[in-house]
Structure formats: structure tokens, C-alpha cells
Amino acid sequence: MNSTYGSGSCLSDLALERRRADLSVPGVDMRCDTQGSFRWERLHISTREGADSIGRPIGFYDTLTMPRVDTLDEDDTMDAANEVAKELCLAMDRLDVIPDRLLIVGLGNRELTPDSIGPRTADMINATMHIKRMDKKTFSDLECSELAVCTPGVMGQSGMEAIDTVLGICDRIGPDAVIAIDALASRSAERLGTTVQISDTGIFPGSGIGNNRSPITEGVLGIPVIAIGIPTVISARMLIPNADASVHQCLGDMFVSPREIDAIADSAAKIISTGINQAFGIF
């Protein structure tokens, strides 16, 4: 897919916030479902014209909105994880993927809290690929997918793009699909820690903050890529949109996160990892 869709000029990774045209544009469809305190906003882009209007590739972008994740009690946290699990199964069905073997990729920098959701989630995934290699009978009894997990880190840590690590692992183990988890940028403070976006178009690391890295997409890997993300940062300019140009120039490329970001990152990782384990692994 065209990496120009990863442009960070919108200061957001959320497809819902990148709508620059109304829903009358051919190939852009939106529907909403609300269940209690959970709300799904389902955006489907089906034409090139629609993709150009939104600034995102053709595909499905399903966004779950809830109370801020660190404020959820145990029951609501499990309900959120259940919603993620169901959505991941739906995405696999739409892609016509039988998820026998999956690679889970935790993107981001675990040493930078707002960017640590990917690695924190990966830490809580129950890897199972090794079980099949050691004991096929035990693995068969588990009735789960083969799950492999990696955390490629960021270029400043590894000296490599994340896609280089992911490509090498995919060549080695041959997964049916990749599930990539990353922290996102939002244009709205209300979406920080309250929104989970699940898309089947892959992921463009760093695009929301203008730090574009090589995309992780089906076009690059040759297999489907499902992306899961939660917004953790917002441009400081978005917090004072009516300020004059000199103020915005002074703020530059500064991004900020809530002071509760550590609890948000932990809670988000728990929801996403539980959803993945429930849908495909050991739960």
C-alpha cells in the first residue's frame, strides 16, 4: 500500500479524525453500534476516491470508545478485552485468514511510557509456537493458534527499522498474518486512553507525530497485517488551537500525554493482550 497515506500532517493516527470530506464521498461508509458504555464506530473505505479523501488506505477501521482504560473495573476491563477479541476474529474472517500461526509484534519504545503499549502488550501475550514444536499432542489439546511474539524496539535502540526485524521473522517462521500493536497520536484529548482502533490495512509507525518509519503492511510482508492502537499523545498545538502563529511556532513538534499515562499504558496492554490471548491463544 502507498506509504504516502502515513503522512503525519494531520497529527493523528486515527482514521476517524482524518475525515476531510463528508460521508457522501463514494466508497466511504460509517456505522455506529453502542452497547452500554462501549461504542463502536466502523469506518469502511472501499474506493480510491474514498481513500484519497480520508488520507488512509482502502480497508476497515473499527474504533472502540469507552471510559478511560485505567478507570475501568475488572469486569469492564474483561468486557473491553472481549470486544477486542471478537473484533480480531471478525477481521480475520474478512481477510479470509485461517489463523493457524500468527506473529504478534509489539511496536514502540518500552523505555518511553507513552510509546510503550506495544512492548507491554507483547510481554503479556502467551506464546505457544514452542509448545507445538516440543509436544504436538499437548498443543493439539490446547486448541489454539501458534503464537510467536517479538518486540523490535525503535531504530535508536536496534539500529534497524522495525520492518527489518519483522520481515526476517516472517521469512523464518511463515505466519499466516501479523498483529501489530502500537501507541497512536490523536487530535482530541478526549480520545487519549479511551479509544482502541483496529484496522486491516497495516500500520505506519510514527506517522501521527510526523516521524514516518517504514510501513508494516501486506504490501511489504506479503501477508495480512492487522493493526491495533490506542492514542496516548496529542500535539500541544491541538490543546490551544486558537493561539496565534507565534505560540504554535514556539510549541513546535511538542507532544504531550496525560499524567496518568503509566496506568493507561498498563491497562491498555492488559485489554489488548487479553483480547489476543482469548481469540487465538491460551486464556
Side-chain angles (χ1 to χ4, degrees), residues 32-255:
C32 300
D33 304 304
T34 301
Q35 298 179 359
S37 59
F38 296 98
R39 175 181 173 85
W40 279 104
E41 296 168 278
R42 304 182 186 277
L43 177 66
H44 180 208
I45 304 172
S46 58
T47 65
R48 174 65 66 177
E49 182 179 357
D52 290 342
S53 172
I54 303 298
R56 284 288 161 178
I58 292 171
F60 289 86
Y61 301 83
D62 295 334
T63 305
L64 175 65
T65 300
M66 68 194 93
R68 209 176 68 190
V69 294
D70 61 315
T71 68
L72 298 177
D73 61 25
E74 186 173 348
D75 288 341
D76 285 339
T77 296
M78 286 305 303
D79 287 343
N82 291 340
E83 291 294 320
V84 170
K86 289 187 290 186
E87 189 63 31
L88 289 172
C89 291
L90 175 62
M92 291 291 179
D93 288 343
R94 282 197 302 242
L95 293 167
D96 197 25
V97 171
I98 299 175
D100 290 332
R101 178 176 292 181
L102 301 174
L103 175 62
I104 314 301
V105 180
L107 296 168
N109 184 351
R110 69 169 66 247
E111 297 178 6
L112 185 63
T113 304
D115 195 31
S116 67
I117 287 178
R120 292 189 193 207
T121 301
D123 289 344
M124 291 188 276
I125 297 295
N126 297 320
T128 58
M129 182 178 294
H130 62 295
I131 299 175
K132 183 175 182 179
R133 293 181 176 180
M134 293 187 299
D135 189 335
K136 290 185 179 181
K137 174 64 169 61
T138 297
F139 178 81
S140 178
D141 291 342
L142 292 173
E143 297 183 343
C144 65
S145 303
E146 292 181 74
L147 298 185
V149 185
C150 79
T151 52
V154 294
M155 184 179 290
Q157 296 169 323
S158 67
M160 300 182 293
E161 293 267 17
I163 186 61
D164 296 330
T165 300
V166 176
L167 271 170
I169 296 174
C170 286
D171 288 344
R172 178 67 176 176
I173 70 173
D176 299 302
V178 166
I179 298 177
I181 305 103
D182 200 4
L184 306 179
S186 174
R187 291 175 59 89
S188 168
E190 288 72 26
R191 287 196 178 273
L192 300 180
T194 69
T195 297
V196 181
Q197 178 177 266
I198 299 177
S199 66
D200 60 9
T201 62
I203 197 162
F204 301 83
S207 63
I209 61 172
N211 182 28
N212 296 303
R213 305 257 57 93
S214 297
I216 300 174
T217 63
E218 182 173 4
V220 176
L221 295 177
I223 56 174
V225 179
I226 295 174
I228 309 175
I230 291 185
T232 58
V233 296
I234 183 173
S235 169
R237 285 178 282 167
M238 293 295 99
L239 298 176
I240 46 174
N242 298 321
D244 59 40
S246 63
V247 173
H248 281 182
Q249 184 176 6
C250 181
L251 292 172
D253 295 328
M254 182 184 300
F255 283 79

